[in-house]
Amino acid sequence: MIKTRNLKKIYTTEEVETSALDNINFEVKPGEFVSIMGPSGCGKSTLLNVIGMLDNPSGGEYFFLEQEISKFSERQRANLRKHNIGFVFQSFNLIDELTVFENVELPLLYQKVSPAARKKKVTEVLERMQIMHRKSHFPQQLSGGQQQRVAVARALVGNPKLILADEPTGNLDSTHGEEVMNLLSGLNEAGTTIIMVTHSPAYAEYGNRVVHLFDGHIVTENMKTQFHI
């Protein structure tokens, strides 16, 4: 599904050049659950942003679904992204002015899905995430755990092949954190490929492979268990 060759990301200002990713060679097969760990500033979120096509690499090659996309235009990347990738963020990134239902519906509007199909898809995913009873509530009326359930529902509603999760438990207590991890684990068992950035060794264990980054380099990779196909 994903393959990088000598992937680089360099941030340049007038005074300094910072190498966030340096010669990253990384591969993810369909059905894997990969956990990415490392200290703050080591390049974890940068790697996730490049994989998610939110940012362009500075060098190297990036293959997604066997297409080399590092030179794609923003329009091409956006089109590929919205039909294949769901995002879950630490800060939830829900829109306060929209209800739970409307927040989850948003990706389908970008995909130009018909109103009837949108209603069906949103209803199904809210029921799956056990948050349907909150469909008319606004984000500020929900607990942190409930907001993250909504964020996972929004990531899932377009039936993506890949979910990218950037510290999805970072703003949650241990109970709600485990709840979200069990959700992600269940999605992976159902066939969704997941790449997750985390600081938690315990949550990293939910993955079948743990990748450690340091100063923009992959320093170790540990295979955990056989992944689901």
Coordinates of all heavy atoms in Angstrom, one line a residue, residues 2 4 6 16 35 39 75 90-92 96 101 109 117-118 124 160 205 211 215 227:
I2 N 1.9 1.3 0.9 CA 2.8 2.4 1.0 C 4.2 2.0 0.9 O 4.6 1.0 1.5 CB 2.5 3.1 2.4 CG1 1.2 3.8 2.4 CG2 3.6 4.1 2.7 CD1 0.7 4.3 3.7
T4 N 8.2 4.1 0.7 CA 9.0 5.2 0.5 C 10.5 4.8 0.2 O 10.9 3.8 0.8 CB 9.0 6.2 1.7 OG1 9.7 5.6 2.8 CG2 7.6 6.5 2.2
N6 N 14.2 6.6 0.3 CA 15.1 7.7 0.6 C 14.3 9.0 0.8 O 14.7 10.1 0.3 CB 16.2 7.9 -0.5 CG 17.0 6.7 -0.6 OD1 17.4 6.1 0.4 ND2 17.4 6.3 -1.8
V16 N 18.1 29.1 9.1 CA 18.5 27.7 9.4 C 17.8 26.7 8.5 O 16.7 27.0 8.0 CB 18.2 27.4 10.9 CG1 16.6 27.4 11.1 CG2 18.7 26.0 11.3
S35 N 2.6 1.2 14.5 CA 2.8 2.2 15.5 C 4.1 2.9 15.3 O 5.1 2.2 15.1 CB 2.7 1.6 17.0 OG 1.5 0.9 17.2
P39 N 10.9 10.4 20.4 CA 10.8 11.6 21.2 C 10.2 12.8 20.4 O 10.1 12.7 19.2 CB 12.3 11.9 21.6 CG 13.1 11.3 20.5 CD 12.3 10.1 20.1
R75 N -4.1 19.3 -6.3 CA -5.4 18.8 -6.7 C -5.3 17.3 -6.8 O -6.3 16.6 -6.3 CB -5.8 19.4 -8.0 CG -7.2 19.0 -8.5 CD -7.4 19.5 -9.9 NE -7.5 21.0 -9.9 CZ -8.7 21.6 -9.8 NH1 -9.8 21.0 -9.6 NH2 -8.7 23.0 -9.8
Q90 N -5.1 14.2 17.6 CA -5.1 14.3 19.1 C -6.1 15.4 19.5 O -6.8 15.2 20.5 CB -3.7 14.7 19.5 CG -3.6 15.0 21.0 CD -2.2 15.4 21.4 OE1 -1.2 15.2 20.7 NE2 -2.1 15.9 22.6
S91 N -6.2 16.5 18.8 CA -7.1 17.6 19.2 C -8.5 17.4 18.6 O -9.3 18.4 18.7 CB -6.5 18.9 18.8 OG -6.2 18.9 17.4
F92 N -8.8 16.3 18.1 CA -10.1 15.9 17.5 C -10.5 16.7 16.2 O -11.0 16.1 15.3 CB -11.3 16.2 18.5 CG -11.0 15.7 19.9 CD1 -11.4 16.5 21.0 CD2 -10.4 14.5 20.1 CE1 -11.1 16.0 22.3 CE2 -10.1 14.0 21.4 CZ -10.5 14.8 22.5
D96 N -16.9 23.3 15.9 CA -17.8 23.6 17.0 C -19.2 24.0 16.6 O -20.1 23.7 17.3 CB -17.2 24.7 17.9 CG -15.9 24.3 18.7 OD1 -15.8 23.0 18.8 OD2 -15.1 25.1 19.1
F101 N -23.6 14.9 13.8 CA -24.0 14.4 12.5 C -23.3 15.2 11.3 O -22.8 14.6 10.4 CB -25.5 14.4 12.3 CG -26.1 13.7 11.1 CD1 -26.5 12.4 11.3 CD2 -26.1 14.3 9.8 CE1 -27.0 11.7 10.1 CE2 -26.5 13.6 8.7 CZ -27.0 12.3 8.9
L109 N -19.5 15.3 1.8 CA -19.9 16.5 1.0 C -18.7 16.8 0.1 O -19.0 17.1 -1.1 CB -20.1 17.7 2.0 CG -21.3 17.7 2.8 CD1 -21.3 18.9 3.8 CD2 -22.6 17.8 2.0
A117 N -27.6 9.1 0.3 CA -26.5 8.2 0.6 C -25.7 8.7 1.8 O -25.2 7.9 2.6 CB -25.6 8.1 -0.6
R118 N -25.6 10.0 1.9 CA -24.9 10.6 3.1 C -25.6 10.3 4.4 O -24.9 9.8 5.4 CB -24.8 12.2 3.0 CG -23.9 12.7 1.9 CD -23.4 14.1 2.1 NE -24.5 15.0 2.3 CZ -25.1 15.7 1.4 NH1 -24.7 15.6 0.1 NH2 -26.1 16.6 1.7
E124 N -25.0 4.9 9.7 CA -24.4 3.6 10.0 C -23.1 3.7 10.8 O -22.9 2.9 11.7 CB -24.1 2.9 8.6 CG -25.3 2.4 7.9 CD -24.9 1.8 6.5 OE1 -23.8 2.1 6.0 OE2 -25.8 1.2 5.9
P160 N -12.4 4.5 4.1 CA -11.0 4.6 3.6 C -10.2 3.3 3.7 O -10.5 2.5 4.6 CB -10.4 5.7 4.5 CG -11.1 5.5 5.8 CD -12.5 5.1 5.5
E205 N 1.7 -1.1 21.6 CA 1.6 -2.6 21.6 C 0.4 -3.1 20.8 O 0.3 -4.3 20.5 CB 1.6 -3.2 23.0 CG 3.0 -3.0 23.7 CD 4.1 -3.8 23.1 OE1 3.8 -5.0 22.7 OE2 5.2 -3.3 22.9
V211 N 7.6 1.1 14.9 CA 8.7 1.7 14.2 C 9.2 2.9 15.1 O 8.4 3.7 15.6 CB 8.3 2.3 12.9 CG1 9.4 3.1 12.2 CG2 7.8 1.2 11.9
D215 N 15.6 11.7 15.4 CA 16.3 12.7 14.5 C 16.0 12.5 13.0 O 17.0 12.6 12.2 CB 17.8 12.8 14.8 CG 18.1 13.5 16.1 OD1 17.2 14.0 16.7 OD2 19.3 13.4 16.6
F227 N -0.4 -9.7 10.9 CA -1.5 -8.8 10.7 C -2.6 -9.4 9.9 O -2.5 -10.5 9.4 CB -1.0 -7.5 10.1 CG -0.3 -7.7 8.7 CD1 -1.1 -7.7 7.6 CD2 1.0 -7.9 8.6 CE1 -0.5 -7.9 6.3 CE2 1.6 -8.0 7.4 CZ 0.9 -8.1 6.3

